[in-house]
């Protein structure tokens, strides 16, 4: 049964994260927006301590858990992004690379690569799919993996890797790199490979300067005859073909969480809007014809935010109950990406100069919003997934 009450176990954790968001994130948000790519070394260990106080943020549900893993993460990520969307991406947690290992790795690979996240030191991981010629269309990936004796040799360039610098340079983490064994095979030739920090032949050659989420580093990786052990191909021991499918399942788990973080930014903007217009005493519950324009806008934005949040909860709940949630995850991502862009844009519009002034964070939230409609599948791509799921079409039939 879905309950509309937040379980007490989640409420407690969310309250602790809210305190940390207020105390550690909000005060630092402007500084790291203005100092892109500066690593927040003061914030990272302090946030690590907070997260560890309730068991950290494990990427996969622990055995014998309480069945609330993804729902708990959704509430926590929403709250962290409410604190600051860029610093949320610098919070020490597994990240996308670890989520890929959890989804596609064998038990041995999970132990080998995920144990580091249980230690005292902050560690990061990242996932490198995108290339200059391959974004939404992953079949166009050109990074190659060639077997040479007991190793894979990787060659290629990956762009826009979130947390790539933190995973490879700042901490002893890893990046999961998608590469093809044979470009002629299209998607079937693509497999995920774990490249650990310090591996010769893998270097960070650039860090982007971006519109928003500037506290989060976004790296370009160069792989030049980069050698990794055969066992670093995820799922290798179990299946030669299963890697790609396995990593696609990563997105079913992570899209609801990205959607949750989008809604954290949206909530920050909505609260700021509400507080600022409070002296005008906006009313609610009236027929639309008797509302002022501001009241109508507020009511619409609240409804948009709440409906998107319900989709997130449904997608996370489905994941907790081990139900296939591809449809719900894509729907939540579409709706939340749309909601955060619309809510931040409307808040800026309704507040005029206050919305644009750097004395407040609203203009930053407006800039932080758009990426939610881009990474982990753009709005259009997630709509395609929804359509395929609803109409029963394959990728080939509808793309
Ligand atoms: C800040 C940031 C962080 C990122 N982090 C990561 C990361 O950690 N790892 C990683 O691998 N990538 C990452 N990315 C890359 C991101 O996932 C890609 O930008 C995204 O997948 C889109 O790919 P693209 O930019 O090549 O656009 P394209 O795929 O070229 O798309 C361009 C436009 O066309 C639309 N489009 C494409 N195909 C279709 C279609 N079939 N039907 C309808 N519309 C379509 C898209 O929706 C988009 O609007 C990040 C990007 C940003 C901006």
């Amino acid at each position: 049964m879905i309950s509309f009450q937040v379980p007490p176990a989640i409420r407690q954790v969310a309250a602790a994260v809210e305190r940390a968001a207020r105390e550690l994130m909000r005060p630092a948000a402007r500084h790291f927006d203005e100092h892109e790519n500066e690593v927040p070394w003061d914030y990272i260990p302090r946030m690590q301590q907070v997260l560890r106080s309730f068991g950290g943020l494990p990427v996969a549900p622990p055995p014998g858990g309480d069945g609330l893993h993804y729902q708990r993460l959704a509430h926590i990520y929403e709250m962290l992004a409410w604190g600051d969307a860029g610093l949320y991406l610098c919070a020490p947690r597994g990240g996308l690379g670890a989520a890929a290992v959890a989804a596609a790795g064998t038990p041995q690979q999970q132990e080998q690569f995920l144990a580091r996240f249980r230690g005292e030191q902050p560690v990061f991981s990242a996932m490198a799919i995108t290339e200059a010629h391959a974004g939404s269309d992953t079949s166009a990936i050109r990074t190659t993996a060639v077997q040479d004796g007991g190793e894979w040799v990787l060659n290629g360039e990956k762009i826009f890797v979130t947390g790539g610098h933190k995973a490879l340079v700042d901490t002893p983490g890893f990046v999961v790199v998608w590469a093809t064994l044979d470009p002629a095979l299209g998607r079937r030739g693509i497999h995920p490979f774990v490249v650990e920090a310090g591996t010769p032949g893998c270097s960070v050659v650039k860090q982007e300067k971006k519109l928003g989420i500037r506290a989060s580093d976004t790296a370009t990786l160069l792989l030049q005859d980069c050698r990794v052990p055969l066992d670093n191909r995820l799922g290798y021991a179990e299946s030669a073909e299963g890697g790609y499918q396995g990593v696609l399942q990563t997105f079913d788990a992570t899209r609801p969480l990205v959607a949750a973080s989008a809604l954290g930014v949206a909530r920050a903007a909505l609260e700021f809007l509400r507080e600022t217009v409070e002296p005008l005493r906006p009313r609610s519950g009236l027929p639309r014809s008797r509302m002022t324009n501001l009241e109508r806008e507020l009511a619409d934005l609240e409804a948009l935010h709440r409906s998107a949040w319900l989709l997130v909860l449904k997608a996370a709940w489905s994941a907790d109950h081990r139900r296939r949630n591809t449809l719900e995850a894509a729907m939540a991502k579409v709706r939340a990406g749309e909601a955060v862009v619309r809510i931040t844009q409307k808040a800026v519009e309704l507040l005029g100069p206050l919305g644009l002034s750097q004395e407040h964070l609203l203009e930053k939230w407006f800039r932080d919003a758009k990426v939610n409609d881009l990474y982990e599948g753009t709005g259009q791509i997630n709509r395609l997934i929804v359509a395929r799921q609803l109409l029963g079409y394959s990728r080939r039939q509808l793309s």
Side-chain angles (χ1 to χ4, degrees):
M1 278 290 278
I2 287 187
S3 161
F4 290 97
Q5 282 188 334
V6 182
I10 295 185
R11 266 209 309 273
Q12 272 173 10
V13 169
V17 179
E18 180 180 0
R19 263 195 311 280
R22 272 187 208 289
E23 290 166 14
L24 303 180
M25 300 175 99
R26 284 284 174 95
R30 180 60 73 188
H31 175 88
F32 289 100
D33 183 50
E34 289 173 353
H35 297 79
E36 189 158 12
N37 294 325
E38 183 181 318
V39 184
W41 279 127
D42 186 38
Y43 155 82
I44 290 172
R46 292 172 74 191
M47 183 52 91
Q48 161 120 335
Q49 233 177 6
V50 174
L51 299 179
R52 284 177 70 91
S53 69
F54 53 81
L57 302 176
V59 282
D66 57 6
L68 295 171
H69 175 76
Y70 290 106
Q71 294 164 80
R72 182 184 295 107
L73 284 186
H75 281 88
I76 292 173
Y77 285 14
E78 192 258 358
M79 194 56 87
L80 288 172
W82 175 87
D84 183 68
L87 290 170
Y88 141 72
L89 289 165
C90 305
R93 64 201 167 102
L96 256 189
V101 174
T106 62
Q108 290 86 335
Q109 287 172 327
Q110 294 186 18
E111 187 48 38
Q112 179 184 350
F113 297 120
L114 300 182
R116 70 196 73 194
F117 297 104
R118 298 194 286 270
E120 291 293 320
Q121 293 305 315
V123 187
F124 291 83
S125 76
M127 182 130 96
I129 305 169
T130 307
E131 300 178 5
H133 304 282
S136 305
D137 180 9
T138 48
S139 69
I141 281 177
R142 292 184 191 170
T143 296
T144 53
V146 175
Q147 187 174 349
D148 181 23
E151 292 174 320
W152 294 105
V153 185
L154 305 178
N155 277 289
E157 188 176 84
K158 294 290 182 182
I159 59 173
F160 280 92
V161 182
T162 296
H165 198 275
K166 282 186 199 67
L168 292 176
V169 180
D170 302 321
T171 68
F174 61 80
V175 176
V176 173
V177 172
W178 289 28
T180 178
L181 302 189
D182 178 358
L185 290 176
R187 281 192 183 80
R188 282 187 304 121
I190 295 168
H191 289 258
F193 298 84
V194 176
V195 178
E196 302 206 53
T199 307
C202 176
S203 50
V204 174
V205 291
K206 182 180 161 193
Q207 286 179 276
E208 295 292 334
K209 286 185 172 284
K210 306 185 296 296
L211 172 75
I213 57 163
R214 290 181 177 158
S216 159
D217 81 84
T218 311
T220 298
L221 308 185
L222 191 59
L223 298 140
Q224 286 177 308
D225 292 330
C226 172
R227 289 175 172 270
V228 298
L230 279 192
D231 282 348
N232 282 29
R233 181 169 82 175
L234 289 182
Y236 178 69
E238 281 181 353
S239 150
E241 302 295 328
Y244 183 76
Q245 275 309 319
V247 174
L248 287 187
Q249 284 165 18
T250 314
F251 292 125
D252 290 345
T254 56
R255 279 187 180 135
L257 304 178
V258 175
S261 69
L263 293 178
V265 178
R267 185 161 65 82
L270 205 47
E271 284 175 5
F272 182 73
L273 174 62
R274 273 212 166 279
E275 281 160 20
T276 312
V277 300
E278 190 52 37
L280 303 175
R281 302 204 176 285
R283 304 155 302 168
S284 57
L286 295 173
R288 280 181 83 78
S289 58
R290 291 183 46 212
M291 285 176 166
T292 63
N293 181 53
L294 175 67
E295 287 162 349
R296 265 195 299 269
E297 296 279 19
L298 277 176
D300 287 350
L301 296 180
E302 290 279 2
L304 178 59
H305 185 261
R306 286 187 198 188
S307 62
W309 181 242
L310 288 178
L311 282 173
V312 168
L313 288 185
K314 174 90 188 284
W317 179 89
S318 301
D320 278 331
H321 286 77
R322 300 183 187 282
R323 296 187 185 188
R324 183 83 193 268
N325 71 339
T326 306
L327 173 66
E328 288 80 6
M331 273 185 175
K333 176 74 170 49
V334 168
R335 191 68 169 166
E338 216 171 51
V340 69
V341 170
R342 183 166 163 74
I343 289 169
T344 52
Q345 188 179 0
K346 268 287 165 196
V348 166
E349 187 184 305
L350 289 167
L351 295 181
L354 275 187
L356 293 177
S357 166
Q358 293 202 348
E359 286 196 15
H360 305 282
L361 289 170
L362 181 55
E363 63 82 29
K364 178 183 177 305
W365 297 330
F366 172 61
R367 289 185 284 108
D368 288 341
K370 185 60 194 170
V371 73
N372 291 289
D373 204 28
L374 274 177
Y375 59 13
E376 300 229 11
T378 65
Q380 287 89 345
I381 296 302
N382 276 297
R383 279 179 176 80
L384 276 177
I385 295 170
V386 170
R388 280 188 212 122
Q389 292 284 320
L390 290 176
L391 301 173
Y393 285 141
S394 67
R395 186 196 288 269
R396 193 175 305 167
Q397 288 167 315
L398 187 62
S399 60

XYZ file of all heavy atoms in Angstrom, residues 109-147:
298
model
N 32.354 -7.774 -7.864
C 32.658 -6.404 -8.311
C 32.056 -5.392 -7.335
O 32.663 -4.359 -7.041
C 32.112 -6.177 -9.723
C 32.912 -6.907 -10.794
C 32.250 -6.842 -12.151
O 31.026 -6.830 -12.264
N 33.071 -6.784 -13.199
N 30.873 -5.691 -6.833
C 30.262 -4.754 -5.881
C 31.128 -4.626 -4.637
O 31.349 -3.521 -4.143
C 28.865 -5.227 -5.531
C 27.948 -5.163 -6.741
C 26.513 -5.486 -6.409
O 26.108 -5.434 -5.260
N 25.735 -5.794 -7.423
N 31.625 -5.768 -4.141
C 32.472 -5.727 -2.951
C 33.765 -4.968 -3.253
O 34.190 -4.096 -2.504
C 32.767 -7.171 -2.485
C 33.493 -7.260 -1.158
C 32.894 -6.390 -0.058
O 31.657 -6.271 0.016
O 33.694 -5.800 0.714
N 34.365 -5.298 -4.409
C 35.653 -4.685 -4.761
C 35.548 -3.157 -4.925
O 36.396 -2.412 -4.449
C 36.167 -5.301 -6.066
C 37.490 -4.727 -6.533
C 37.896 -5.303 -7.894
O 37.283 -6.250 -8.397
N 38.931 -4.733 -8.480
N 34.493 -2.694 -5.595
C 34.464 -1.277 -5.933
C 33.647 -0.411 -4.955
O 33.840 0.795 -4.889
C 33.909 -1.089 -7.347
C 34.775 -1.730 -8.403
C 34.269 -2.720 -9.237
C 36.099 -1.354 -8.549
C 35.081 -3.329 -10.193
C 36.917 -1.950 -9.502
C 36.408 -2.941 -10.324
N 32.722 -1.044 -4.229
C 31.848 -0.221 -3.376
C 32.321 -0.136 -1.922
O 31.865 0.745 -1.194
C 30.404 -0.738 -3.429
C 29.760 -0.741 -4.827
C 28.322 -1.233 -4.759
C 29.793 0.659 -5.455
N 33.251 -1.032 -1.534
C 33.689 -1.044 -0.121
C 34.253 0.318 0.282
O 34.075 0.767 1.418
C 34.735 -2.139 0.087
N 34.897 0.994 -0.657
C 35.555 2.275 -0.317
C 34.566 3.331 0.193
O 34.942 4.251 0.902
C 36.324 2.816 -1.523
C 35.469 3.320 -2.662
C 36.250 3.464 -3.936
N 36.557 2.170 -4.505
C 37.448 1.964 -5.475
N 38.093 2.967 -5.997
N 37.667 0.768 -5.946
N 33.284 3.202 -0.205
C 32.308 4.221 0.222
C 31.887 4.028 1.682
O 31.195 4.861 2.246
C 31.080 4.198 -0.697
C 31.431 4.540 -2.118
C 31.511 3.545 -3.076
C 31.734 5.838 -2.476
C 31.873 3.842 -4.376
C 32.099 6.144 -3.777
C 32.172 5.153 -4.729
N 32.294 2.894 2.258
C 31.936 2.650 3.664
C 33.038 3.138 4.604
O 32.887 3.099 5.817
C 31.688 1.148 3.885
C 30.521 0.611 3.060
C 30.085 -0.766 3.543
N 31.008 -1.816 3.173
C 30.941 -2.531 2.034
N 29.972 -2.288 1.168
N 31.821 -3.470 1.768
N 34.161 3.620 4.044
C 35.289 4.048 4.873
C 35.095 5.464 5.426
O 34.064 6.108 5.223
N 36.127 5.925 6.143
C 36.064 7.240 6.789
C 36.266 8.385 5.790
O 35.742 9.474 5.953
C 37.172 7.345 7.859
C 36.972 6.461 9.072
C 35.767 6.893 9.882
O 35.563 8.108 10.037
O 35.022 5.998 10.348
N 37.094 8.117 4.763
C 37.457 9.185 3.831
C 36.352 9.423 2.798
O 35.769 8.464 2.300
C 38.742 8.802 3.073
C 39.981 8.721 3.940
C 40.214 10.012 4.709
O 40.114 11.098 4.145
N 40.504 9.892 5.991
N 36.096 10.682 2.449
C 35.135 10.931 1.380
C 35.666 10.411 0.038
O 36.843 10.610 -0.278
C 35.000 12.456 1.345
C 35.942 13.006 2.335
C 36.636 11.893 3.049
N 34.824 9.725 -0.696
C 35.204 9.173 -1.997
C 34.065 9.472 -2.977
O 32.899 9.472 -2.595
C 35.402 7.638 -1.929
C 35.957 7.106 -3.246
C 36.335 7.258 -0.803
N 34.442 9.705 -4.236
C 33.424 10.011 -5.252
C 33.522 9.017 -6.410
O 34.583 8.417 -6.652
C 33.620 11.430 -5.785
C 33.290 12.479 -4.764
C 34.220 12.856 -3.801
C 32.032 13.061 -4.740
C 33.909 13.809 -2.838
C 31.711 14.006 -3.779
C 32.658 14.388 -2.829
N 32.421 8.893 -7.115
C 32.442 8.097 -8.345
C 31.644 8.858 -9.404
O 30.869 9.756 -9.076
C 31.829 6.724 -8.119
O 30.423 6.826 -8.061
N 31.862 8.494 -10.667
C 31.181 9.202 -11.749
C 30.872 8.221 -12.868
O 31.373 7.084 -12.865
C 32.079 10.332 -12.265
N 30.049 8.651 -13.795
C 29.734 7.793 -14.937
C 29.972 8.592 -16.219
O 29.469 9.704 -16.376
C 28.289 7.331 -14.873
C 27.948 6.413 -16.020
S 27.148 4.924 -15.467
C 25.456 5.352 -15.675
N 30.736 7.999 -17.141
C 31.110 8.704 -18.376
C 30.498 7.999 -19.579
O 31.005 6.977 -20.032
C 32.634 8.746 -18.488
N 29.420 8.573 -20.061
C 28.743 8.044 -21.250
C 28.943 9.009 -22.420
O 29.342 8.625 -23.517
C 27.223 7.899 -20.987
C 26.969 7.049 -19.750
C 26.523 7.327 -22.208
C 25.524 7.090 -19.274
N 28.669 10.286 -22.156
C 28.564 11.285 -23.229
C 29.899 11.539 -23.927
O 30.948 11.623 -23.279
C 28.011 12.610 -22.638
O 26.802 12.305 -21.933
C 27.728 13.635 -23.712
N 29.811 11.660 -25.250
C 30.972 12.046 -26.080
C 30.527 13.184 -26.996
O 29.334 13.452 -27.124
C 31.430 10.850 -26.925
C 31.845 9.656 -26.090
C 32.250 8.456 -26.935
O 32.292 8.581 -28.184
O 32.527 7.401 -26.345
N 31.481 13.773 -27.670
C 31.128 14.898 -28.551
C 30.081 14.483 -29.585
O 29.226 15.276 -29.971
C 32.388 15.411 -29.229
N 30.109 13.217 -30.002
C 29.178 12.769 -31.036
C 28.124 11.812 -30.485
O 27.396 11.204 -31.249
C 29.942 12.075 -32.172
C 30.993 12.943 -32.750
N 30.702 13.959 -33.639
C 32.324 12.993 -32.532
C 31.823 14.576 -33.950
N 32.815 14.026 -33.303
N 28.067 11.635 -29.205
C 27.134 10.664 -28.630
C 26.570 11.202 -27.319
O 27.264 11.212 -26.300
C 27.840 9.332 -28.384
N 25.343 11.702 -27.385
C 24.667 12.169 -26.168
C 23.468 11.280 -25.930
O 23.580 10.185 -25.380
N 22.324 11.728 -26.424
C 21.112 10.908 -26.267
C 21.268 9.583 -26.997
O 20.781 8.546 -26.542
C 19.909 11.658 -26.847
O 19.792 12.924 -26.255
N 21.946 9.601 -28.145
C 22.099 8.375 -28.931
C 23.387 7.655 -28.527
O 24.462 7.879 -29.094
C 22.132 8.726 -30.424
C 22.284 7.473 -31.276
O 22.197 6.361 -30.714
O 22.501 7.615 -32.496
N 23.259 6.757 -27.560
C 24.459 6.097 -27.040
C 25.040 5.086 -28.044
O 26.189 4.673 -27.896
C 24.149 5.370 -25.715
O 22.956 4.610 -25.898
C 23.952 6.344 -24.587
N 24.257 4.697 -29.062
C 24.808 3.738 -30.037
C 25.956 4.365 -30.825
O 26.724 3.668 -31.473
C 23.723 3.243 -30.995
O 23.319 4.303 -31.837
N 26.069 5.710 -30.745
C 27.130 6.392 -31.494
C 28.446 6.480 -30.711
O 29.411 7.100 -31.173
C 26.662 7.796 -31.872
N 28.495 5.853 -29.539
C 29.729 5.921 -28.720
C 30.933 5.403 -29.510
O 30.872 4.343 -30.139
C 29.529 5.097 -27.414
C 28.708 5.936 -26.431
C 30.856 4.667 -26.789
C 28.371 5.243 -25.132
N 32.027 6.184 -29.470
C 33.233 5.809 -30.230
C 34.394 5.367 -29.352
O 35.406 4.907 -29.867
C 33.694 7.012 -31.071
C 32.721 7.344 -32.184
C 33.276 8.463 -33.040
N 32.249 8.962 -33.958
C 32.376 10.050 -34.694
N 33.483 10.773 -34.624
N 31.405 10.432 -35.494
N 34.280 5.601 -28.059
C 35.350 5.117 -27.167
C 35.420 3.593 -27.286
O 34.400 2.915 -27.190
C 35.056 5.528 -25.710
O 35.097 6.948 -25.649
C 36.073 4.949 -24.735
N 36.617 3.084 -27.513
C 36.743 1.645 -27.779
C 37.376 0.905 -26.600
O 38.150 1.487 -25.825
C 37.630 1.399 -29.016
O 38.867 2.102 -28.833
C 36.947 1.855 -30.293
N 37.021 -0.367 -26.504
C 37.645 -1.264 -25.525
C 38.117 -2.490 -26.298
O 37.317 -3.157 -26.948
C 36.645 -1.681 -24.460
N 39.427 -2.743 -26.239
C 39.997 -3.874 -26.973
C 40.691 -4.783 -25.966
O 41.468 -4.298 -25.123
C 41.014 -3.372 -28.031
C 41.705 -4.554 -28.722
C 40.315 -2.482 -29.052
N 40.395 -6.078 -26.051
C 41.039 -7.005 -25.115
C 42.475 -7.273 -25.554
O 42.736 -7.545 -26.729
C 40.259 -8.322 -25.048
C 40.801 -9.236 -23.965
C 39.948 -10.482 -23.780
O 38.844 -10.579 -24.308
N 40.478 -11.439 -23.039
